[in-house]
Amino acid sequence: MSTISTSSSTASANAALQSAAQSIISGSTGNSSMDVSTLVTALVNAKIAGQTAALTAKQTTDNTTLSAYGALSSALSALQSGIASLANGTTLSTFSATATGTGLTATAGVGAVAGTYSVNVTQIASSQALSSAAFGATTQLGTGTLSISLGGKSMDINVDSSNNTLSGIAAAINANSSNPGVTATIVTGTDGAHLVLRAANTGAANVINVSTSNITTDNGLSSLGVTSTASTTGGTSTIVSANSSQAWTQSGYAQDAEFTVGGIAASSSSNSVTTAIAGVTMNLTTAAAGTTQTLTIAQDTTAQNTAITNFVSLYNTVVTTMSTLTSYTAGASSQGALLGDSTLQTIKNTLATIVGGSVGSGSAGATLAAIGITLKDDPADGTLVVNNSALNTALTSSPATVASLFNSTNGIAQQLNSSITTFTQKGGIIDTRNTALNADLASITKQQSSLADYTTQLTNQYQAQFTALNTLMATMNNNSQYLTALFGGTNSAGALASNKG
């Protein structure tokens, strides 16, 4: 492509030069004056055409190569990112968790092991909710201080004439920066307005206590005192109101979740239970209370299949990208941007050796073919094919083989991950190649700048020279015409010749 561009530029410059030469001939024979501007442009272009074309062609080639390395790096990075969980062993440590009933779900994470557990749920964790006695919606209850505590933390609410209605107190509670996790709302019934307090957190320890102090005017403010006691036996919380005639009621109870796992009693302040089974989080809802279910923790072969299949797809993308970048078409004006490139060939050979090799030594070594992953029928293609049935069989029947192939020390994914890091890191072979290309582009830019300066200088020089020549030829033509008029020429006798006669 650069050869064609250079030849085209040279041909164009030669054509302009021929036109300029004709301009000189015409000017010298008196037919017309020279076209100095066209002449100078043609001469300058002829002078710099080859170098300009060469620099432009090299610049295009360098930029094309940089883009090609960018495409290769992107494909390699996508592969590296996609195999991260296979390289570090996370995928092969994933488990599924399935319960036989409703109201109990679970997720298995790091540390989980396969097993079956009988889970009996007695009660789920809940949070406390308290409702005060009824008051008038606009009744001013007095002035003083309310101290509200929850789970060992507390806040003080200053009640004065600006906020001593139920709605004013509720707003002050919700706005307090020291609020330990109590929300306040007003519920209005047929008997009047009620202040409702709710604990944000579940669990027997999260009970609400309200005390009053510094009361100077009391129109019901002292009746907002209430003491809550958490159950120590797995039951529900209890309350004692400061004023039994204007008593609080408990509509929600502070209690822990109570359950057994394999006959072992356990409890949790949250319905998201993380401490009962190592590596497993059990999530309880109301439907689970009073049920006995079987919870099964097993290898998550679906997730493993997805991860391995994705690895094959991403690897094939890298192979296809490299094939495109090194493509060759006989007779075509342009070929793959990295055709014959040693850096790409090094990367290609390294990756192919890893996926085609075995993990382990001797007869104990395992290959991808053992789990249903083989090269495409055309060896030159280089891509991998997955036999999904064989892969699923390996995942369920030969987990040790899969674990060996993708172990986090020298498994195939880990080898690919290490190699890609070596290729793409700063100072790696791709970075080194890109650095050289960018340096070359910087040099080309400097050469183009110098060439532009030389073009300006040459243009000014030629402009002055040919302007002077044009003036000289015009003077000579005028003198020639004058002398012909005096002495005669081929087709005229001349004024002096006529006088002589």
Side-chain angles (χ1 to χ4, degrees):
M1 181 170 66
S2 61
T3 301
I4 293 175
S5 176
T6 302
S7 299
S8 176
S9 299
T10 303
S12 177
N14 288 338
L17 195 58
Q18 290 175 5
S19 177
Q22 186 60 47
S23 175
I24 296 175
I25 294 171
S26 296
S28 64
T29 56
N31 294 325
S32 65
S33 63
M34 287 189 297
D35 184 348
V36 173
S37 178
T38 300
L39 175 61
V40 169
T41 299
L43 290 173
V44 171
N45 285 346
K47 185 81 171 177
I48 66 170
Q51 191 174 356
T52 298
L55 290 174
T56 300
K58 190 64 170 68
Q59 187 177 51
T60 299
T61 299
D62 284 354
N63 281 322
T64 300
T65 304
L66 276 174
S67 295
Y69 275 122
L72 176 59
S73 295
S74 294
L76 289 171
S77 296
L79 172 59
Q80 185 175 41
S81 177
I83 63 175
S85 62
L86 284 173
N88 60 27
T90 302
T91 293
L92 299 185
S93 299
T94 57
F95 293 83
S96 62
T98 308
T100 56
T102 58
L104 169 62
T105 59
T107 55
V110 178
V113 295
T116 301
Y117 306 89
S118 177
V119 180
N120 173 257
V121 182
T122 304
Q123 66 182 32
I124 67 169
S126 60
S127 58
Q128 189 180 38
L130 302 177
S131 298
S132 73
F135 295 92
T138 60
T139 299
Q140 294 186 328
L141 302 180
T143 59
T145 303
L146 287 181
S147 296
I148 302 174
S149 66
L150 173 70
K153 297 180 180 180
S154 64
M155 64 178 168
D156 290 334
I157 303 297
N158 182 40
V159 181
D160 55 30
S161 59
S162 67
N163 65 354
N164 62 358
T165 62
L166 282 187
S167 60
I169 292 172
I173 292 172
N174 293 331
N176 194 289
S177 60
S178 299
N179 192 312
V182 177
T183 58
T185 56
I186 303 300
V187 176
T188 302
T190 56
D191 56 345
H194 300 258
L195 176 65
V196 178
L197 303 180
R198 299 179 185 275
N201 299 323
T202 60
N206 291 310
V207 291
I208 301 171
N209 288 286
V210 181
S211 63
T212 61
S213 61
N214 303 322
I215 296 177
T216 56
T217 302
D218 189 6
N219 192 23
L221 186 61
S222 62
S223 298
L224 296 182
V226 61
T227 301
S228 299
T229 303
S231 172
T232 58
T233 60
T236 59
S237 54
T238 59
I239 63 172
V240 176
S241 300
N243 185 344
S244 59
S245 63
Q246 291 182 300
W248 288 80
T249 58
Q250 189 170 204
S251 58
Y253 301 93
Q255 65 182 28
D256 290 338
E258 301 286 342
F259 52 91
T260 62
V261 178
I264 300 173
S267 65
S268 172
S269 62
S270 168
N271 288 315
S272 179
V273 183
T274 59
T275 56
I277 304 174
V280 177
T281 298
M282 297 192 301
N283 300 296
L284 308 176
T285 65
T286 304
T291 68
T292 299
Q293 304 181 36
T294 299
L295 179 63
T296 302
I297 310 300
Q299 286 278 350
D300 190 352
T301 57
T302 300
Q304 293 168 2
N305 180 296
T306 299
I308 293 172
T309 302
N310 186 52
F311 144 65
V312 171
S313 176
L314 291 171
Y315 176 80
N316 286 345
T317 297
V318 172
V319 173
T320 302
T321 299
M322 291 191 293
S323 178
T324 300
L325 295 175
T326 57
S327 62
Y328 172 77
T329 303
S333 59
S334 62
Q335 308 295 343
L338 297 181
L339 178 63
D341 186 87
S342 60
T343 297
L344 182 143
Q345 198 60 45
T346 297
I347 295 172
K348 181 179 181 179
N349 291 340
T350 301
L351 300 186
T353 299
I354 292 172
V355 299
S358 64
V359 178
S361 58
S363 60
T367 65
L368 286 175
I371 62 172
I373 301 174
T374 57
L375 284 171
K376 201 170 183 178
D377 291 339
D378 178 7
D381 182 83
T383 58
L384 299 173
V385 179
V386 180
N387 182 323
N388 201 54
S389 177
L391 176 58
N392 282 328
T393 298
L395 289 171
T396 56
S397 303
S398 304
T401 300
V402 180
S404 174
L405 274 170
F406 295 102
N407 76 81
S408 59
T409 303
N410 66 338
I412 286 177
Q414 179 55 35
Q415 290 182 53
L416 288 172
N417 178 63
S418 297
S419 294
I420 292 172
T421 296
T422 301
F423 297 147
T424 59
Q425 68 185 356
K426 186 173 179 60
I429 58 176
I430 292 179
D431 179 65
T432 299
R433 191 75 175 89
N434 285 340
T435 298
L437 287 167
N438 283 316
D440 193 43
L441 285 170
S443 174
I444 290 171
T445 299
K446 289 181 64 175
Q447 292 178 65
Q448 288 173 328
S449 178
S450 297
L451 187 60
D453 292 341
Y454 173 68
T455 299
T456 299
Q457 176 187 343
L458 194 61
T459 298
N460 292 338
Q461 176 185 333
Y462 283 174
Q463 188 77 32
Q465 290 174 342
F466 284 101
T467 297
L469 177 60
N470 196 35
T471 301
L472 176 61
M473 286 193 299
T475 301
M476 291 175 64
N477 283 332
N478 289 335
N479 290 339
S480 175
Q481 293 171 8
Y482 175 72
L483 291 173
T484 299
L486 287 176
F487 300 107
T490 302
N491 299 317
S492 64
L496 293 179
S498 298
N499 290 337
K500 182 179 178 181

